[in-house]
Structure formats: C-alpha cells, structure tokens
Amino acid sequence: MLIGIILIVAGLLIAFYPPLLSLIVATVLLLGGILILTTAYYHRKLPRRADNPVVEFIFRY
C-alpha cells in the first residue's frame, strides 16, 4: 500500500514538474545498482548457502 501511495505522489509530482522524472529515474537506477552490489557482496563473502539479509528485507516488505 505504501508503494502505491509513493507511486501516485511521484506521478502527480511529475505531472506538475516534468524535470522531476529524470531525478526519479536516476534515483531508481542508483538504488537498483546499490542493491545489486550489496547482494553480490554478501554472496561473495558467504559462498555457502546462507540467507541474504538484503533479499530477506525486500521479501518481508
């Protein structure tokens, strides 16, 4: 539900201020890259089958 509200607010902000779209896309790309790097770090650090706290956090919410 929270994600839906955030998407609606982001859509309204983009409608009123179009340059905001580039900032939102850049933020999503940066956070995605950070997430991938963090996940790769945990997999490299713990080569055995172990729970990844980043992935568990995402699945929990």
Side-chain angles (χ1 to χ4, degrees):
M1 182 170 168
L2 179 64
I3 294 175
I5 293 171
I6 290 172
L7 287 173
I8 290 171
V9 170
L12 290 173
L13 288 173
I14 290 169
F16 291 120
Y17 188 66
L20 188 63
L21 177 62
S22 63
L23 294 174
I24 292 173
V25 170
T27 302
V28 168
L29 289 174
L30 284 172
L31 291 177
I34 290 170
L35 178 68
I36 290 172
L37 285 175
T38 305
T39 304
Y41 172 75
Y42 278 113
H43 281 288
R44 187 170 294 209
K45 185 177 177 184
L46 301 172
R48 64 185 190 284
R49 295 291 290 169
D51 293 334
N52 188 338
V54 176
V55 174
E56 294 295 325
F57 178 76
I58 292 170
F59 285 144
R60 189 177 321 142
Y61 298 104

